[in-house]
Amino acid sequence: MRVPLSWLREYVDVAPDATAEDILESLVTVGFEEEEIHRFEISGPVVVGQVLSFEAEPQSNGKTIRWCQVDVGTSTGSGTEIAASGDRDIRGIVCGASNFAVGDKVVVTLPGAVLPGPFPIAARKTYGHVSDGMIASARELGLGDEHDGILILSSLGIDAPVGADAIALLGLDDVAVEINVTPDRGYAFSIRGVAREYAHATGADFRDPAEHEWSEVEPGTGFPITVDAEPLRENPAVQEFVVRVVRDVDPSRPTPPWMVARLSLAGIRSLGVLIDITNYVMLELGNPIHGYDLDKLSGGITVRRAQHGEKMKTLDGQERTLHVEDLLITDDSGPIGLAGVMGGGTTEMGDETRNVLIEAAIFDPISIARSARRHKLPSEASKRFERGVDPLVPFAAARRVADLMVELAGGLIDEVGGALFSDVEIAGIALSAEFVPGLIGVDYTDQEIVDALETIGAEVTETSNGWQVIPPSWRPDLTDKWTLAEEVARIHGLDRIPSVLPTPPSGRGLTALQQGRRRVANALAAAGLVETPAFPFTTEAHNDLHGSASGEHLPSIKLANPLDGQAPFLRRSLIPGLLQIAHRNIARGLTDLAIFDTGAVFLPEPGVVYGTDEVPPLGQRPSDETLAELNASIPPQHRHVAALFTGNATVRQPGRAAEAVGLTDALDAVRVIAVASGVEIVVAQGQRAALHPGRTGVLSVDGVEVGYVGELHPDVAADADLPGRAVVLELDLDGVLSLAGNRVVAASLSTYPAATQDVSLVVPDSVTADELRAALVEGAGELLESLRLVDDYRGEGITEGEKSLTFALRFRAEDRTLTAAEATEAKLAGVAVAAERFGATLRE
């Protein structure tokens, strides 16, 4: 909502020196969010000038310009082609318009001024003259779209002295503050509502523009209004309907500059005096108003629902097919308005309008919201009706429009009118004395609570244990004691609420499993990977490819209401989501990726039916039996961790070529996960449907398979639009952490030096490096500190069907410095076990 400050000052006392920033600061204290400050993009000197004379000069291009002599008041500085007359400042100005005469007072922008655009004004040579300024049109000043001629002040009813400041005269020095209005505070979509809230924030005096005696706003009688009651009986969509008649209006009269300026600052463009008045009152009082050309109406007005297949043309020129739930304003000719949303084109006010029917109504918010969304037709009117309009304001709004049409359009108020309405009944709310302090956490006194509620306009009656509160008519959001407590806190300042952290019960906090998940995610991020969470939805084909070891069809959970119809299945693996994320990044030029995700996968058991059609009733806690049944209807959800590498691990740089990612990068990530989990993960060669044969490893802990690592199969990478090589890994994170248990392994640190030796063993191709490694570890005993595979050789000197595996061994004792003989003895003990188990021999 944009609020021009000059308008705000009409209804609340604002300090003369208060800036827009000060007003925003005050409104923030009562719960509004500040957005922007809006000003006219214009600066002076812009003055009132009087045309003294002009000469018409035809040009070769067929255009005729006028070389004008314009009096701009007392001397404002030297100019070019200025004829001094006493102390008057006479400017020579070239003008292309012809709608003015000698003696007319106009708006003159002098050199140094800046008009909206920005468009700086300077003395410049044109059409054989030096034009020392410019005579401005309404559009050039930002006051509307009119650009056919210059702005003549007498046409606006303005008679100001020559040389007067035209910026202040036209209201172009005004400024508007913009606040964000939440859906529950629709009353703030009006100057009336914001002025009241500013009064709450500052204690300033508020003057309600809607407060009138009944005799002032009574609409009269004689105009027939009916409601087609049968379709509306169960849902009374029309709560109030008021019409007034104003005759003999003159739609050609210009809208006053102050109104155009205020509407412009509020974000609404000027469309003619009659429409401007209805928009002005809507912004002022918050009640949308519609004006009909009375002479175009056929008979009276009937409010009803649309009939099947019925159509109407709205003010935007679109013919719309109506829905049977749409609420219509009709006359004898058919629909003339989509109630609360937009009027019809057949009865709109225009240049020929002489008699106006003013309508102010209250419509059901839900009905209006549905129509606006159904027809994709949001409007300023529907925005207000959706949030609730004060049911006591339509009579005042209709009278305000009528008065302005008399004042600004020369009309006369007719005694003919009509209204349909009923008594406004607002349910009271019981509020106990201890509820507000207990909920908010502030020791408000009883008087503070009463004062806050009365400040917002509520009626407060004391009861035996507190109060009976009737909210004001303009606050439909106040429906229970909790919303009343929020108002007390808001009025007395949210800064009074103490900032106190609750004390958690002992024994609570992250579980061991949650701590382990967090350690793994933090460790991968610290190792340089980027966490990229993905949606848990995929296709059945991706589930079969990535969710099983062999690619066979496994049961998947299909959603009844998927967000994406092309991906209706819950994922069995995290890899499809990482592939989509990698594709999206590569398409945007980010080709070097190391990404990971931790999340749930859904692994239904074969033969088990999941889901339920029985939904427990709302508003009550389900029984333990019901909760157990609901939990049983959910498939097992395992927490996995997965990573994907593609592109270059090291970018090209001076003296070093780029290094593409490979299986070693994924294995490094596996080691990071193992360390963070407190387990030892063993890698053995294996197979996986989506991975490259021969470049796939199976991951296990204590003999239990927990995941896989490998290079993505080229066909799978191509299907995912990934250029080059991609390496992936995926582990059952919960399974890994459960195998780790609660153990914390702290390695002892020896102060004695280590002894290092290498050993190369020749074994059959069928023996895996992990199997040979395990034999060496078993035989070497406690002195062996670490063992690492450093070479896998197959070629000259090695019999076909065999291979040479070289390991780097490091020995260390905790109580002494090892001798070379001791280290050799431990190494040979490991070789002996390998020889016995696999026939391993030392390579010559």
Side-chain angles (χ1 to χ4, degrees):
M1 175 66 186
R2 296 184 182 184
V3 183
L5 300 194
S6 65
W7 206 348
L8 183 69
R9 285 187 165 94
E10 288 189 9
Y11 303 119
V12 66
D13 291 339
V14 180
D17 59 346
T19 63
E21 289 77 9
D22 295 334
I23 291 173
L24 278 177
E25 183 178 353
S26 298
L27 292 174
V28 166
T29 64
V30 287
F32 292 103
E33 295 180 8
E34 62 177 279
E35 293 288 340
E36 294 183 63
I37 295 175
H38 300 271
R39 295 181 171 88
F40 286 102
E41 299 176 359
I42 187 171
S43 61
V46 180
V47 300
V48 174
Q50 187 170 31
V51 179
L52 300 180
S53 65
F54 62 81
E55 296 178 11
E57 299 181 355
Q59 304 297 311
S60 59
N61 59 5
K63 181 178 180 179
T64 298
I65 61 99
R66 288 181 173 183
W67 170 239
C68 309
Q69 300 299 313
V70 184
D71 183 359
V72 296
T74 57
S75 180
T76 55
S78 60
T80 308
E81 296 192 32
I82 296 177
S85 176
D87 60 352
R88 308 302 294 176
D89 190 355
I90 312 300
R91 301 281 177 136
I93 299 175
V94 173
C95 184
S98 60
N99 65 319
F100 60 93
V102 172
D104 282 343
K105 289 185 178 179
V106 294
V107 177
V108 180
T109 58
L110 298 175
V114 178
L115 297 182
F119 180 61
I121 302 300
R124 63 188 66 188
K125 188 171 183 179
T126 179
Y127 294 107
H129 302 279
V130 175
S131 184
D132 201 33
M134 185 179 78
I135 306 175
S137 68
R139 189 170 73 177
E140 289 164 340
L141 294 170
L143 281 174
D145 296 331
E146 178 61 42
H147 196 58
D148 293 338
I150 64 168
L151 185 65
I152 301 174
L153 295 179
S154 60
S155 67
L156 303 177
I158 297 176
D159 185 14
V162 174
D165 182 6
I167 292 179
L169 184 68
L170 299 175
L172 299 176
D173 57 347
D174 201 358
V175 60
V177 296
E178 183 176 0
I179 56 174
N180 180 31
V181 178
T182 53
D184 61 326
R185 302 177 73 178
Y187 65 93
F189 275 116
S190 66
I191 303 298
R192 178 195 185 208
V194 177
R196 181 183 283 109
E197 289 296 323
Y198 183 79
H200 296 343
T202 62
D205 289 337
F206 168 68
R207 298 171 291 278
D208 190 350
E211 188 173 332
H212 296 280
E213 296 292 335
W214 173 248
S215 59
E216 299 178 52
V217 299
E218 188 176 6
T221 59
F223 190 88
I225 306 170
T226 57
V227 174
D228 189 359
E230 187 64 27
L232 305 179
R233 183 171 298 163
E234 296 181 1
N235 181 16
V238 185
Q239 302 169 22
E240 200 164 299
F241 202 92
V242 181
V243 297
R244 302 192 75 111
V245 173
V246 179
R247 298 189 181 276
D248 298 326
V249 296
D250 181 3
S252 65
R253 286 196 180 187
T255 303
W258 57 266
M259 181 177 284
V260 175
R262 288 180 177 181
L263 289 173
S264 178
L265 283 175
I268 295 180
R269 62 191 181 96
S270 176
L271 296 172
V273 65
L274 300 180
I275 297 175
D276 289 349
I277 288 172
T278 59
N279 286 334
Y280 185 84
V281 174
M282 175 187 68
L283 293 173
E284 185 173 74
L285 300 180
N287 194 156
I289 305 290
H290 188 69
Y292 303 88
D293 188 325
L294 182 61
D295 298 327
K296 295 179 181 179
L297 287 173
S298 300
I301 280 181
T302 298
V303 184
R304 61 171 174 84
R305 298 287 185 189
Q307 299 172 1
H308 182 73
E310 198 168 11
K311 297 182 179 182
M312 71 166 290
K313 181 178 288 188
T314 48
L315 284 173
D316 58 359
Q318 298 293 318
E319 185 174 64
R320 302 181 184 276
T321 301
L322 303 173
H323 190 275
V324 292
E325 291 185 1
D326 288 333
L327 190 65
L328 301 180
I329 311 298
T330 69
D331 65 1
D332 292 347
S333 66
I336 59 173
L338 189 57
V341 180
M342 184 174 286
T346 59
T347 58
E348 67 176 314
M349 297 182 295
D351 295 340
E352 72 286 354
T353 299
R354 293 296 175 265
N355 302 304
V356 176
L357 180 74
I358 302 165
E359 168 217 311
I362 300 294
F363 299 113
D364 175 59
I366 295 176
S367 179
I368 302 306
R370 287 177 176 173
S371 289
R373 284 156 179 74
R374 183 180 298 118
H375 295 285
K376 297 180 176 60
L377 194 60
S379 63
E380 291 292 331
S382 66
K383 180 168 65 177
R384 287 163 173 80
F385 280 125
E386 289 173 17
R387 291 159 174 80
V389 175
D390 185 356
L392 299 182
V393 83
F395 290 93
R399 178 63 194 230
R400 174 68 164 152
V401 171
D403 289 342
L404 286 174
M405 285 188 176
V406 170
E407 177 185 350
L408 304 179
L412 296 173
I413 297 178
D414 199 309
E415 294 300 323
V416 174
L420 292 177
F421 63 96
S422 58
D423 293 336
V424 176
E425 297 182 2
I426 302 174
I429 302 171
L431 182 65
S432 61
E434 68 277 0
F435 179 76
V436 175
L439 180 66
I440 304 301
V442 177
D443 292 330
Y444 297 112
T445 65
D446 290 355
Q447 191 59 47
E448 284 181 317
I449 295 173
V450 172
D451 288 345
L453 296 175
E454 290 181 342
T455 295
I456 64 171
E459 296 181 15
V460 184
T461 305
E462 188 172 354
T463 61
S464 58
N465 66 336
W467 306 274
Q468 183 76 4
V469 182
I470 300 179
S473 59
W474 56 86
R475 293 297 303 273
D477 58 307
L478 302 181
T479 56
D480 49 43
K481 59 184 179 180
W482 287 274
T483 52
L484 294 178
E486 291 175 358
E487 288 301 296
V488 174
R490 187 174 68 89
I491 294 301
H492 286 300
L494 300 179
D495 56 328
R496 287 185 60 180
I497 302 176
S499 179
V500 179
L501 292 175
T503 302
S506 60
R508 300 289 181 89
L510 296 178
T511 65
L513 200 59
Q514 291 170 330
Q515 291 175 349
R517 294 169 181 169
R518 187 167 294 185
R519 281 199 310 272
V520 169
N522 289 341
L524 288 173
L529 282 79
V530 178
E531 187 171 9
T532 55
F535 286 117
F537 313 117
T538 186
T539 64
E540 190 170 22
H542 280 157
N543 265 347
D544 289 342
L545 185 60
H546 298 280
S548 64
S550 58
E552 73 273 17
H553 178 73
L554 293 176
S556 298
I557 296 296
K558 185 176 182 179
L559 297 173
N561 54 344
L563 293 177
D564 183 355
Q566 296 182 343
F569 290 89
L570 292 174
R571 64 190 177 191
R572 298 180 57 91
S573 167
L574 300 181
I575 298 300
L578 291 178
L579 291 176
Q580 292 180 2
I581 292 169
H583 169 68
R584 191 158 49 247
N585 279 272
I586 290 172
R588 288 158 176 76
L590 304 175
T591 57
D592 302 330
L593 300 176
I595 57 179
F596 78 97
D597 186 15
T598 61
V601 298
F602 304 84
L603 305 175
E605 299 177 1
V608 179
V609 178
Y610 296 97
T612 179
D613 294 331
E614 298 182 5
V615 179
L618 301 177
Q620 64 184 48
R621 185 185 185 278
S623 65
D624 292 340
E625 293 77 11
T626 301
L627 289 175
E629 293 176 1
L630 290 173
N631 288 330
S633 70
I634 302 174
Q637 301 178 40
H638 295 249
R639 195 86 173 187
H640 280 204
V641 58
L644 181 147
F645 303 83
T646 188
N648 291 323
T650 303
V651 297
R652 187 179 67 178
Q653 49 194 300
R656 183 175 181 179
E659 297 180 9
V661 298
L663 200 53
T664 55
D665 297 286
L667 290 173
D668 285 341
V670 171
R671 295 187 186 98
V672 169
I673 296 171
V675 172
S677 303
V679 298
E680 181 180 358
I681 298 179
V682 177
V683 184
Q685 192 167 10
Q687 298 291 326
R688 193 82 183 180
L691 302 186
H692 195 294
R695 300 177 187 174
T696 302
V698 176
L699 308 176
S700 59
V701 176
D702 295 339
V704 179
E705 184 176 331
V706 294
Y708 60 90
V709 61
E711 182 180 324
L712 207 63
H713 194 285
D715 291 341
V716 177
D719 289 341
D721 294 328
L722 300 184
R725 176 181 300 176
V727 183
V728 298
L729 67 91
E730 183 167 13
L731 292 95
D732 182 348
L733 182 56
D734 285 349
V736 171
L737 295 173
S738 64
L739 291 170
N742 294 323
R743 63 191 179 192
V744 177
V745 180
S748 60
L749 298 177
S750 175
T751 60
Y752 294 94
T756 59
Q757 294 197 14
D758 290 346
V759 62
S760 296
L761 297 176
V762 178
V763 295
D765 283 342
S766 59
V767 179
T768 66
D770 185 65
E771 291 173 331
L772 188 58
R773 175 184 177 279
L776 290 172
V777 170
E778 181 181 335
E782 296 180 353
L783 294 180
L784 180 63
E785 184 178 74
S786 68
L787 179 148
R788 181 166 49 90
L789 178 68
V790 295
D791 186 46
D792 182 338
Y793 175 73
R794 309 168 199 220
E796 186 178 351
I798 303 296
T799 304
E800 185 177 352
E802 294 184 330
K803 60 186 175 183
S804 171
L805 300 179
T806 302
F807 293 88
L809 297 84
R810 185 169 62 200
F811 301 93
R812 195 192 308 267
E814 295 185 2
D815 57 350
R816 68 188 186 280
T817 298
L818 287 177
T819 64
E822 290 177 304
T824 300
E825 182 181 355
K827 177 185 73 173
L828 293 177
V831 172
V833 173
E836 179 184 354
R837 189 169 297 173
F838 305 113
T841 60
L842 288 170
R843 182 181 174 188
E844 297 295 334

